[in-house]
Amino acid sequence: MTPIRTTGIIMSALLAGACTTLTPDYERPAAPVPASWPGAAASSDAAVVADIGWRDYFADPRLRELIALSLANNRDLRVSALNIEQARAQYRIQRADSFPAVNAGIGETAQRLPGDLTSSGKPTINRQYSATIGLSAWELDFFGRIRSLSEQALETYLATEEARRGAQVSLVAEVANAWLTLAADRELRELARSTFETQQKSLSLTRKSFEAGASSALELRQAETTMQRARADAARYTAQVARDENALALLVGTPVPADLLPGRLVDAVTALPELEAGVPSSVLTRRPDVLQAERQLRAANASIGAARAAFFPRISLTASAGTASSTLDGLFGSGSGTWSFVPQLSLPIFNAGALRASLDVAEIQRDINIANYEKAIQSAFREVADGLADRATLAEQLDAERQLVAASEEAFRLSDARYRNGVDSYLGLLDAQRSLYAAQQELIGVRLSEAANRVTLYKVMGGGWK
């Protein structure tokens, strides 16, 4: 068989095999969720949150710079990026099986025969030199087994990319929430310190009044109790702020510069825009975790094609061409050319049901991935629905807390005036102080919840990966 004819056979096999695959046609499962969120009308004109970059969503320059630092230094995100590189390399290895591996070799074979094995009765040494180039056991992919495995590796690689995007989305939200929590706890700390200083002055005045016989021991102890409670709160929030800063540093992956720490929570809240609720639930299919689940489903679907192809014959080719000679100087001389062509066909006949079991495993794994994909969409829908449910009442809660603080401040002012004029007892004044302090704490907590809700909605709708 001439080299030209051999090449023609190989190319024909390539063209014939390039059109065949036993992988089932992929169909995306229908999303098992309603078309719109509970209590919200769908609108195709609403901005898709996944297309809003985090630099555009978070307006505070300190928070933007902090998120950028975390994306560059966070170790979990770095591991996700390395996982992508590993999956890409695995795909390249699997894809390489689609092409023949061509190897070149130069070798010598030397053999000594004793005299009783030679015709001359004398020991001889036979030498053979060769230089060849060729391919070894290259499988002709007539039934798409190798292409199915390559497709599976590709989808696995793409799934790791989606996992990395999902890790970035989570990191952006975690950094924003940690930054907002730090702002809230710093504000609570300052409130506790201010209240402690005010209560210290009040206790000092009450003690002087007690020593002068104008106040009772009960009033003195009540004033001391209120002061010590504020003191304990100040110490507790000081420790909490330190823990918040440590948590933020861990997320960022490097010490956080002091100029990037948040100011007052109210300033941080007003820098976050609101998201529209009229986005159809179909946008969930663009979330990185949902796309990752779909990529894994595609990979499982491709595995079925490889398992089906294993039932059919495998044809592999081993071929080489080169030169050979018994002497080194004649290795490239005229007439020293050599070639070999070894086609091989392997047909499974009996394997005790192993191939059938392998196909069953692939099909069951596909069904498992379908269930995982549907669950990912359902979980995403619930997260968005919960966020929208919280947002529906947070505005009212925030307004109510503001009104409560205003009313508590007025009640405290009136109680203080009545106490100074001798109309009310000190107990009424202390009660008004405690009510005002609790209302101010609750207002900070609701402000944090409202800001965190905006961050959460941005995350669960797929934003933050750009």
Side-chain angles (χ1 to χ4, degrees), residues 54 68 70-74 76-85 156-172 288-289 292 464-466:
W54 58 265
S70 69
L71 295 179
N73 296 285
N74 183 268
D76 290 335
L77 198 63
R78 190 173 298 176
V79 170
S80 296
L82 292 174
N83 286 336
I84 291 177
E85 297 300 321
T156 301
Y157 156 58
L158 295 176
T160 59
E161 283 196 332
E162 298 299 342
R164 194 267 179 195
R165 288 175 55 192
Q168 176 172 323
V169 168
S170 296
L171 178 61
V172 168
D289 57 336
Q292 179 187 1
W465 66 272
K466 287 188 176 182

Side-chain angles (χ1 to χ4, degrees), residues 47-235:
V48 177
V49 178
D51 293 333
I52 302 176
W54 58 265
R55 291 185 181 276
D56 298 323
Y57 184 69
F58 297 105
D60 192 294
R62 295 167 298 178
L63 180 54
R64 287 203 302 263
E65 187 171 347
L66 204 61
I67 292 174
L69 277 176
S70 69
L71 295 179
N73 296 285
N74 183 268
R75 298 310 188 269
D76 290 335
L77 198 63
R78 190 173 298 176
V79 170
S80 296
L82 292 174
N83 286 336
I84 291 177
E85 297 300 321
Q86 183 183 35
R88 182 185 293 127
Q90 292 290 345
Y91 166 63
R92 289 165 54 197
I93 291 173
Q94 186 61 58
R95 185 172 179 270
D97 289 341
S98 302
F99 303 93
V102 180
N103 301 298
I106 298 177
E108 174 193 3
T109 301
Q111 182 183 29
R112 180 185 182 278
L113 295 177
D116 57 354
L117 295 179
T118 63
S119 58
S120 62
K122 296 180 179 180
T124 62
I125 297 177
N126 298 323
R127 300 180 184 274
Q128 179 178 336
Y129 301 90
S130 63
T132 60
I133 185 171
L135 52 93
S136 175
W138 173 42
E139 182 178 342
L140 299 180
D141 197 21
F142 283 109
F143 302 100
R145 189 185 73 88
I146 294 177
R147 282 193 307 283
S148 295
L149 292 174
S150 179
E151 183 182 353
Q152 178 197 21
L154 174 61
E155 295 297 340
T156 301
Y157 156 58
L158 295 176
T160 59
E161 283 196 332
E162 298 299 342
R164 194 267 179 195
R165 288 175 55 192
Q168 176 172 323
V169 168
S170 296
L171 178 61
V172 168
E174 286 177 3
V175 171
N177 279 324
W179 192 77
L180 292 169
T181 300
L182 175 58
D185 287 339
R186 292 179 75 174
E187 195 165 337
L188 286 168
R189 181 189 62 184
E190 297 309 313
L191 173 62
R193 286 177 176 177
S194 175
T195 302
F196 172 61
E197 293 172 359
T198 301
Q199 294 299 329
Q200 266 188 321
K201 296 176 182 178
S202 178
L203 176 61
S204 178
L205 293 174
T206 304
R207 180 175 287 110
K208 291 178 180 178
S209 178
F210 170 74
E211 292 171 352
S215 298
S216 66
L218 177 60
E219 290 176 336
L220 176 63
R221 295 311 174 192
Q222 288 174 334
E224 185 176 359
T225 299
T226 304
M227 186 272 292
Q228 294 297 345
R229 182 178 292 110
R231 178 187 175 193
D233 285 347

Side-chain angles (χ1 to χ4, degrees), residues 400-434:
E401 290 294 340
R402 289 195 183 105
Q403 297 296 329
L404 178 60
V405 169
S408 299
E409 289 174 344
E410 181 64 14
F412 173 71
R413 186 187 67 79
L414 294 173
S415 295
D416 184 61
R418 290 172 65 86
Y419 172 72
R420 293 180 185 278
N421 291 325
V423 178
D424 278 347
S425 66
Y426 189 67
L427 181 60
L429 177 60
L430 288 179
D431 186 62
Q433 288 176 334
R434 285 193 294 265

Side-chain angles (χ1 to χ4, degrees), residues 180-196 228-246 265 436-446 448:
L180 292 169
T181 300
L182 175 58
D185 287 339
R186 292 179 75 174
E187 195 165 337
L188 286 168
R189 181 189 62 184
E190 297 309 313
L191 173 62
R193 286 177 176 177
S194 175
T195 302
F196 172 61
Q228 294 297 345
R229 182 178 292 110
R231 178 187 175 193
D233 285 347
R236 177 163 57 88
Y237 286 120
T238 298
Q240 185 60 50
V241 166
R243 288 195 294 268
D244 292 342
E245 291 175 351
N246 294 336
L265 178 61
L436 174 59
Y437 182 46
Q440 290 171 329
Q441 289 178 315
E442 290 173 3
L443 177 59
I444 294 173
V446 174
L448 175 61

Side-chain angles (χ1 to χ4, degrees), residues 319-339:
S320 65
T323 179
S325 175
S326 60
T327 59
L328 184 60
D329 55 356
L331 185 59
F332 297 100
S334 177
S336 63
T338 180
W339 61 267

